[in-house]
Amino acid sequence: MPAREGFVSRVRQAVSVLMNRQDSGTQRQASAANGNHAARMYSAAQPSRLNPGPIPNGSADSELVSSLRNLRGRSRQLIRDASYAKRAQILVVNNVIGSGIGMQAQVMTSRDTLADRVNDGIEAAWADWCEAENCHTGGRLSFKMLERALMAQVFAAGEVFVRKHYRKFGKSKVPFALEMIEAERLADEFTSPYLSAQNGNHVRMGIEVDEFYRPVAYWIRKRHPNEIRFSGGGVDMVERVPADQIIHLAVVDRWPQTRGEPWMHAVLQTFADLAGYTEAEITRARVQASTPWTIETPEGVDSFGEQQEDGSVEMDVEPGVAKRLNPGEKMNVPAVNAPNPALDPFVRYILRDLSAGTGPSYSSLSRDYSQANYSSERVAQLDDRDLWRVYQAWFIGDFRMKIHREWLQAAVFSRSIESVPVEQYAVDPKKFEAVLFKPRGWSWIDPAKEVEAYKEAVKQGFTTTTDVVAATGGGQD
């Protein structure tokens, strides 16, 4: 027994020594790791004299809440005053909406063929409702122009709201119309951590959301906060509008993101810099063009010219006429170096930055095709069209599809579409909601080659006539 206890004691001592060595090694490794922590960081994350840090890393709403009003104001001001900002908005609206997104009803029969009579009735009723006095609560915007106005607001302010009103306007038989609400009318200063302990809803920049950030209601002002004021015009009021009456059009970049951001937010300062720089260059050129010539006359020598009321002597200078100076006189002609020869390349550089931040290609935004050839311009247009198709799909999914379903329901139940029986629609509404939206398409620079290429593609089965018309027909079917 004593020998066994001695053996156990020696084993325990060996294990203890081994554990101590391992602990020492672990400590040395941890110390080395801490010492090499900076070396293992991403270079973009290492703070330095040229790379300050740390950088605030907030949520989408926390960054928008203190910036949104200024961003909207500056974006609208630039669109009003800066030509290239206005051009960028027009390009987006023209390419996403164009002259309007076409609609083609696609109701099928039991034999899996198009029900022409039903589809014609739906399309005819839709065309009647799309007149300005019927579809717009203000009676000024036809549906096509309403689409353009909505897209313009999304570009300028980052978002726009559409309120659905279930009543008849104008001569419409359909109890359904739309009201466009600008972003400023939302009470974005209204923020509450919770409204009710029972449901857990809270308000974020004027939008009441549930625990999953799903909109429940919108807190909307009765009028624009900076509307024209008249004496006795009433007081401002905020109305809580349920979410099922509102369509909030905004492109969501991060989630959760309650409000939309102006599409020019990344280049607002660049737009302002360009406007200020060009104004300074024009002012410099005007000053140089207005700087007079001067003649130095020695004392005691009579100068020629006409004496003015203030005692100065002036003379007229005509093109192609040389004036002989008196002995000792010297003419000083100011140096003219305006316009600045570096202005054009510098503006092109700025415009490339602006095109990258707004979406359209440089040549489309600037209308400067001197730097492009056929191949480069085709690549630029292909890149642009990919972007426009993404926005077209977003607009159709978030707006047109929702509007079509509600309009169709109101039209059928008001018996405005005789070819659609109410009882059949009530049983299977999805059958009658089948629809094909046809956004604008684009053609190429050389139509002869384009037509031949499409003819060959149809002949070989690579595409169909329907797809060709959809791609180039501007919304026609």
Side-chain angles (χ1 to χ4, degrees), residues 70-72 74-76 78 262 264-273 354:
N70 286 339
L71 288 176
R72 281 200 306 256
R74 291 180 180 178
S75 176
R76 294 193 188 280
L78 282 172
M264 294 192 297
H265 66 91
V267 290
L268 285 175
Q269 187 59 50
T270 307
F271 268 116
D273 291 342
L354 296 179

Side-chain angles (χ1 to χ4, degrees), residues 201-475:
N201 292 352
H202 60 284
V203 180
R204 301 168 70 89
M205 292 181 285
I207 300 179
E208 182 179 337
V209 298
D210 63 14
E211 59 179 323
F212 300 105
Y213 299 96
R214 183 183 292 265
V216 176
Y218 294 83
W219 296 77
I220 300 175
R221 297 182 177 92
K222 286 289 189 179
R223 57 184 178 181
H224 195 286
N226 296 318
E227 182 60 275
I228 300 174
R229 305 292 176 174
F230 298 100
S231 59
V235 297
D236 291 338
M237 297 182 63
V238 176
E239 178 184 6
R240 182 184 183 274
V241 181
D244 59 2
Q245 297 180 21
I246 297 292
I247 295 178
H248 182 189
L249 279 175
V251 175
V252 177
D253 292 328
R254 298 175 61 187
W255 184 255
Q257 179 179 335
T258 308
R259 304 293 297 271
E261 56 193 4
W263 285 17
M264 294 192 297
H265 66 91
V267 290
L268 285 175
Q269 187 59 50
T270 307
F271 268 116
D273 291 342
L274 176 61
Y277 175 71
T278 53
E279 181 183 12
E281 285 288 350
I282 292 172
T283 301
R284 185 169 74 96
R286 292 179 64 182
V287 169
Q288 290 192 5
S290 304
T291 302
W293 296 1
T294 60
I295 298 177
E296 295 183 16
T297 302
E299 186 176 356
V301 177
D302 293 333
S303 178
F304 55 89
E306 297 180 3
Q307 188 169 4
Q308 305 298 310
E309 295 180 357
D310 59 358
S312 62
V313 178
E314 296 180 359
M315 71 174 185
D316 295 330
V317 179
E318 300 178 12
V321 177
K323 296 290 186 179
R324 184 177 64 85
L325 301 180
N326 291 328
E329 290 185 331
K330 183 176 68 172
M331 180 172 286
N332 297 323
V333 181
V336 177
N337 57 2
N340 186 353
L343 174 63
D344 188 56
F346 177 75
V347 170
R348 286 203 300 266
Y349 163 77
I350 293 295
L351 287 175
R352 286 195 294 270
D353 185 23
L354 296 179
S355 66
T358 54
S361 62
Y362 164 79
S363 57
S364 297
L365 180 62
S366 66
R367 289 190 172 182
D368 174 22
Y369 302 100
S370 63
Q371 311 297 309
N373 54 40
Y374 182 85
S375 298
S376 63
E377 187 61 24
R378 184 180 176 88
V379 171
Q381 289 192 22
L382 285 171
D383 189 34
D384 283 358
R385 292 174 187 184
D386 286 341
L387 178 64
W388 305 138
R389 290 189 180 98
V390 170
Y391 288 144
Q392 286 175 343
W394 161 77
F395 190 86
I396 290 172
D398 280 24
F399 179 66
R400 286 301 301 271
M401 187 63 72
K402 296 177 181 178
I403 290 298
H404 182 77
R405 291 168 181 164
E406 296 215 33
W407 168 84
L408 183 64
Q409 182 181 32
V412 171
F413 287 159
S414 63
R415 301 185 184 278
S416 301
I417 308 176
E418 296 180 358
S419 59
V420 180
V422 176
E423 58 276 8
Q424 292 185 21
Y425 173 83
V427 172
D428 189 6
K430 287 190 175 297
K431 171 184 176 181
F432 297 93
E433 291 172 358
V435 64
L436 177 63
F437 293 106
K438 307 183 79 64
R440 66 152 293 180
W442 302 272
S443 58
W444 291 107
I445 301 171
D446 193 337
K449 292 181 180 179
E450 177 187 2
V451 171
E452 289 300 321
Y454 279 130
K455 286 170 60 177
E456 186 65 23
V458 172
K459 180 180 177 181
Q460 298 297 331
F462 297 143
T463 186
T464 65
T465 303
T466 300
D467 292 336
V468 172
V469 173
T472 62

